[in-house]
């Protein structure tokens, strides 16, 4: 080919094109995993686990139907019997639970999907009727949350918690580590540590729930300690490239408060960055509510945490694309729209209408309102 062909200077043009070409629907590399797009199915509690808190027979179908998400993050899953706070949520601490989750991951893998499990300990958001031996829920401090949980087929006030003794804390870290190992045994691509929404790890982080005077309470560093110990233990067990963390700096879910969210969460973002975990999943604003619930600079967390930033809360495809092009986030979580739209990614890509979910079948029950929402292709074949 002639070297005389006039060739425009391309460098800046190419760079601009790369920037504006980014879309939600292009592949993305998360650690060593290739995702087929930037849309993530957010964790969604569905309360359908069966006896032994094993994922229900329908769970493999449900998650398999949604495998076109770039990444699925499962519903919150207990690390131990002690970690449960709601009726019929699944666990990942017995062999039958591992086997049950293996059916789920097999179904997702068969469709080329990617799936992380969200691991939680509910802390004070629990009820004695759900707890081993009917004992009090555990928490950083004996401060009862002014909220309810779903137990005995209805919503009831959470029980009065007791403060964890200092020598019980290593056991919590160990339960997270073991559950992460179990997750890999069950075929998950990775684990998300649930550090959000008013559950145990956030109860330690936020001073409205933590009045401890030991190494786990008081200063910003001390309140972040348990989250960071758990994350380090999980990352050491399964690899930092398979470990993500979810946070909700200004959410009051679980009737919690924090007097200093910006410095607290800036510190956490720096420390999680140093641990080298693969993503930071941030609920921007009130969980499931307003994005402007309280003043907070989420860009500060995005800038401190150098790896993948997964943005969550009230994203439309338009807002997600705009934030992507601005470089403000890498991946975008969609929650409730995935319930009624198993083919959400395809619908967003072609601008198809979204189906509404049925609130009556959100929590509990069987296949109805779980695996029976049609895809566009199903609907047009009828
Ligand atoms: C809805 C109902 C019960 C639990 C969360 C795990 O908010 C949950 C949850 C959501 O993170």
């Amino acid at each position: 080919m002639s070297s005389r062909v006039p060739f425009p200077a391309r460098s800046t043009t190419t760079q601009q094109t790369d920037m504006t070409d980014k879309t939600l629907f292009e592949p993305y590399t998360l650690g060593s995993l290739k995702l087929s797009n930037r849309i993530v199915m957010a964790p969604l509690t569905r309360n359908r686990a069966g006896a032994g808190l094993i994922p229900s027979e329908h769970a493999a179908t449900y998650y398999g139907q949604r495998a076109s998400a770039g990444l699925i993050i499962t519903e919150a899953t207990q690390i131990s019997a002690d970690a449960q706070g709601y009726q019929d949520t699944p666990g990942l601490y017995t062999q039958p639970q591992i086997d049950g989750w293996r059916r789920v991951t097999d179904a997702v893998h068969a469709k080329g999907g990617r799936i992380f499990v969200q691991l939680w300990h509910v802390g004070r958001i629990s009820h004695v009727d759900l707890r081993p031996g009917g004992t009090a829920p555990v928490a950083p401090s004996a401060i009862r949350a002014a909220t309810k949980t779903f137990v005995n087929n209805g919503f009831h006030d959470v029980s009065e918690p007791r403060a964890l003794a200092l020598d019980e804390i290593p056991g919590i870290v160990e339960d997270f580590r073991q559950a992460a190992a179990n997750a890999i045994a069950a075929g998950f691509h990775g684990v998300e540590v649930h550090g959000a929404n008013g559950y145990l790890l956030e109860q330690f982080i936020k001073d409205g729930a933590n009045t401890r005077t030991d190494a786990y309470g008081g200063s910003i560093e001390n309140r972040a300690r348990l989250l960071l110990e758990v994350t380090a233990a999980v990352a050491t067990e399964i690899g930092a490239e398979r470990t993500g963390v979810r946070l909700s700096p200004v959410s009051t879910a679980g009737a919690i408060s924090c007097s200093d969210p910006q410095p607290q969460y800036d510190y956490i973002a720096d420390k999680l960055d140093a641990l080298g975990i693969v993503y930071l999943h941030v609920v921007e604003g009130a969980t499931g509510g307003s994005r402007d619930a309280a003043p907070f600079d989420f860009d500060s967390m995005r800038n401190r945490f150098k790896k993948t930033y997964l943005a969550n809360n009230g994203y439309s495809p338009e807002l997600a694309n705009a934030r992507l092009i601005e470089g403000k986030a890498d991946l975008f979580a969609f929650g409730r729209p995935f319930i009624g739209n198993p083919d959400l990614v395809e619908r967003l890509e072609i601008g198809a209408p979204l189906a509404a979910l049925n609130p009556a079948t959100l929590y509990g029950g069987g296949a109805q309102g779980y695996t029976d929402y049609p895809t566009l292709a199903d609907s047009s074949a009828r």
Side-chain angles (χ1 to χ4, degrees), residues 45 47 76 86 118 120 194 196-197 199 246 287 363:
T45 290
N47 305 80
Y86 297 81
Q118 190 191 53
W120 71 344
H194 194 350
N197 297 349
Y199 300 111
R246 190 187 208 198
T287 306
Y363 303 118

Side-chain angles (χ1 to χ4, degrees), residues 108-297:
V108 172
H109 297 166
K111 296 207 178 155
R114 310 287 186 233
I115 182 164
F116 275 38
V117 62
Q118 190 191 53
L119 295 181
W120 71 344
H121 188 309
V122 297
R124 67 181 186 165
I125 308 297
S126 189
H127 191 281
V128 289
D129 288 354
L130 282 166
R131 303 216 2 108
T135 53
V138 297
S141 303
I143 305 171
R144 189 177 191 165
T147 191
K148 294 181 187 295
T149 186
F150 191 77
V151 54
N152 302 327
N153 297 315
F155 284 94
H156 298 280
D157 287 347
V158 299
S159 302
E160 180 79 32
R162 70 169 177 86
L164 281 161
L166 189 58
D167 66 4
E168 291 179 288
I169 291 180
I172 305 265
V173 177
E174 168 57 18
D175 288 345
F176 269 100
R177 186 203 61 74
Q178 183 61 56
N182 295 348
I184 300 307
F188 285 104
H189 291 108
V191 156
E192 174 173 288
V193 173
H194 194 350
N197 297 349
Y199 300 111
L200 183 72
L201 299 177
E202 197 183 85
Q203 290 159 28
F204 273 84
I205 293 168
K206 294 188 173 176
D207 53 6
N210 181 352
T211 56
R212 298 178 75 95
T213 53
D214 61 13
Y216 292 87
S219 67
I220 280 172
E221 293 79 1
N222 283 357
R223 283 183 276 132
R225 192 175 309 283
L226 181 59
L227 172 82
L228 297 174
E229 288 182 354
V230 163
T231 306
V234 168
T236 302
E237 180 66 32
I238 67 170
E241 77 287 357
R242 295 199 280 196
T243 304
V245 168
R246 190 187 208 198
L247 301 172
S248 54
V250 295
S251 184
T252 56
I256 205 163
S257 63
C258 186
S259 65
D260 53 0
Q262 193 76 56
Q264 176 70 74
Y265 281 87
D266 280 350
Y267 171 80
I268 290 172
D270 284 340
K271 291 291 178 183
L272 292 177
D273 184 63
L275 287 175
I277 61 164
V278 76
Y279 73 70
L280 182 58
H281 181 180
V282 182
V283 181
E284 297 168 344
T287 306
S290 165
R291 292 181 50 78
D292 306 313
F296 189 87
D297 180 8

Side-chain angles (χ1 to χ4, degrees), residues 23 28 38 60 87 118 167 225 241 264 304 312 340 358:
T23 84
Y28 179 79
R38 294 173 184 264
Q87 184 178 320
Q118 190 191 53
D167 66 4
R225 192 175 309 283
E241 77 287 357
Q264 176 70 74
R304 286 163 190 273
N312 185 304
N358 177 3

